[in-house]
Amino acid sequence: MNDTKPPDAADDPMASVTRPTRKATPTLLRNVLIPDSGGDGYLRRDVLIADGLLATIAPAGTLPTPHGGGQLVDCTHRMLLPGFFNAHTHSVEHWVRGLIMPLPLELWVLELIHHEPRGNGGWNGPKSFDKTPSLAIGVSAMLCGVEALLSGCTAILDHLFIRNCEDMAAAVAAYKAVGIRAFIAPMLDDDAELYSNYIPLCSAAEEVNRRAHAAGCACGSRGMRADGNFRERPGGSDAEKTEKQLALWEECVARFHRPEEGIHVVIGPITAYSSSPAMLRGAADIRRRHGLAGHTHLLETRAQVIINNTHTDNKTRG
C-alpha cells in the first residue's frame, strides 16, 4: 500500500516546515541546584543560557545579570536537569486514548488496529486505510510532541506505523513545528496477513478447533483469530511486501534523515516475528550502510516470549 508516488518538494506542503528559530533572550539561572558530575550529590550554581546554549556554569552568586534585555531567574527552590528522553512511544495511539478497555497487550493491540484512524473501524470505515489523510498522523505526532515537552522530555522515539512517505512527512513536519528532537522509526512488517503473527500459537489448537467445530460452536473456539479459532501455525510472509517495505525505509532515510535539523530516521521492524528473516537482514543492511539506529518489539510480555521461541531458534527463558 506504499506505492503512492511521493510529491515533488515544490508541491509538498510539509517540505517548507522547519524547526522554529528565534533569537533567545540571555537568561541567568541564579543559585540553581544541579547534579554534581563528580559525585552523587548536588551543587548550587549560576547558569547562563545564551544563544540556545549553556554558555557558563559558575559558583552561585558569581555571574552578573545579563545586559541588553537579559533576564534573571531566582532558582533557589528549583533544580536544573538534562532533558528526558521518551525512548519508546506510538504517537498515533493518542487517537484511541480512553477508547479501549484494559486488556492483555496482544488483545489490546487488536482493538487498536481496528479503531485508529486508518483501521477498519476508523474515520472512513473499511476504506479508512486508503482514505484517511496523512494529516491525521501529523496531528497525533504533534500532540505527542507537545505532551513530551510538557513532561520534561526534549527527545522522543516514535515507533510509527506508516503506510507511505506521506505519513512519515506529516509526522516529521509536526515534530519540527513543535521543536522537539525526534527519532522516528517507521514500524513495518512483511506478514502476508497484517498482525497475524502477533497472536500467540496454541499448542493444542488443531484439536481444540476440531472439537469446537464438531460441537457446532458458532463462535469458533473463542481463540484470538478473527474467526474465533486458535492459531495452529505461524503465518507466512509476503516476498513482494518485503521488497516494498525495505524500499520504503530507504526512501524515508533519503528524504527525512536530517540529524542536524533534529530528525533522525530509525529502522524499526514491528517485531522480530512479524518480519521475515529476509526483511530483518535487509533492515540490518540499511542500518549498516547509513549508520542508523534500530528499534523493535521483542520481549514486552510473556506471550511475546512464547511467540519469539515459536518463530526463532533462540529459546528465551521466560
Side-chain angles (χ1 to χ4, degrees):
M1 307 295 288
N2 60 313
D3 52 357
T4 304
K5 183 179 181 296
D8 295 332
D11 301 323
D12 186 354
M14 302 297 180
S16 61
V17 178
T18 58
R19 293 175 67 82
T21 57
R22 60 184 180 185
K23 186 174 179 57
T25 302
T27 301
L28 176 61
L29 306 180
R30 175 77 78 197
N31 199 34
V32 67
L33 192 66
I34 65 172
D36 181 2
S37 59
D40 297 328
Y42 296 87
L43 301 170
R44 290 287 178 183
R45 290 289 185 263
D46 287 352
V47 178
L48 177 64
I49 303 173
D51 298 323
L53 301 173
L54 299 179
T56 308
I57 300 177
T62 63
L63 291 183
T65 302
H67 297 292
Q71 60 177 332
L72 173 66
V73 180
D74 180 5
C75 295
T76 300
H77 301 290
R78 298 183 183 183
M79 176 184 289
L80 181 63
L81 293 172
F84 299 134
F85 192 131
N86 183 345
H88 182 79
T89 191
H90 303 283
S91 61
V92 76
E93 291 180 8
H94 281 71
W95 286 112
V96 297
R97 178 177 290 171
L99 183 64
I100 305 172
M101 294 188 300
L103 294 167
L105 179 61
E106 290 70 31
L107 293 173
W108 190 91
V109 167
L110 295 180
E111 292 294 314
L112 167 67
I113 62 177
H114 178 77
H115 289 292
E116 73 123 299
R118 298 164 295 183
N120 285 339
W123 296 354
N124 294 284
K127 297 181 180 179
S128 294
F129 190 87
D130 295 316
K131 290 199 169 186
T132 299
S134 295
L135 182 60
I137 310 308
V139 171
S140 51
M142 181 169 288
L143 176 58
C144 188
V146 169
E147 287 192 343
L149 286 175
L150 290 174
S151 67
C153 293
T154 55
I156 191 170
L157 193 153
D158 189 358
H159 203 188
L160 180 66
F161 172 66
I162 63 170
R163 300 165 294 182
N164 46 44
C165 266
E166 284 62 57
D167 283 358
M168 183 72 172
V172 168
Y175 287 129
K176 281 186 174 182
V178 171
I180 194 170
R181 183 175 297 277
F183 294 74
I184 308 175
M187 188 175 70
L188 307 180
D189 75 284
D190 62 350
D191 279 339
E193 180 185 352
L194 184 63
Y195 278 96
S196 64
N197 284 316
Y198 205 74
I199 303 171
L201 298 179
C202 173
S203 59
E206 189 171 359
E207 176 61 18
V208 173
N209 290 339
R210 185 191 66 76
R211 277 190 270 168
H213 286 293
C217 180
C219 56
S221 315
R222 296 187 179 179
M224 293 177 66
R225 271 182 16 185
D227 60 5
N229 289 330
F230 288 98
R231 294 181 63 235
E232 301 173 5
R233 59 189 61 84
S237 60
D238 182 333
E240 182 179 353
K241 185 178 179 182
T242 304
E243 294 303 314
K244 287 185 176 182
Q245 302 293 56
L246 292 174
L248 179 54
W249 271 327
E250 290 275 16
E251 187 176 358
C252 286
V253 173
R255 287 183 60 180
F256 305 114
H257 187 62
R258 301 291 186 272
E260 69 282 0
E261 299 177 11
I263 300 295
H264 303 249
V265 175
V266 176
I267 304 304
I270 183 169
T271 65
Y273 36 83
S274 281
S275 304
S276 66
M279 185 173 184
L280 293 174
R281 286 192 292 268
D285 178 65
I286 295 171
R287 289 181 56 198
R288 282 192 294 267
R289 286 189 286 104
H290 297 287
L292 302 174
H295 195 73
T296 192
H297 302 96
L298 184 60
L299 301 173
E300 287 184 303
T301 65
R302 292 181 180 179
Q304 288 187 16
V305 174
I306 296 171
I307 299 170
N308 177 65
N309 291 342
T310 302
H311 284 256
T312 71
D313 295 329
N314 300 316
K315 302 304 181 184
T316 306
R317 296 176 66 182

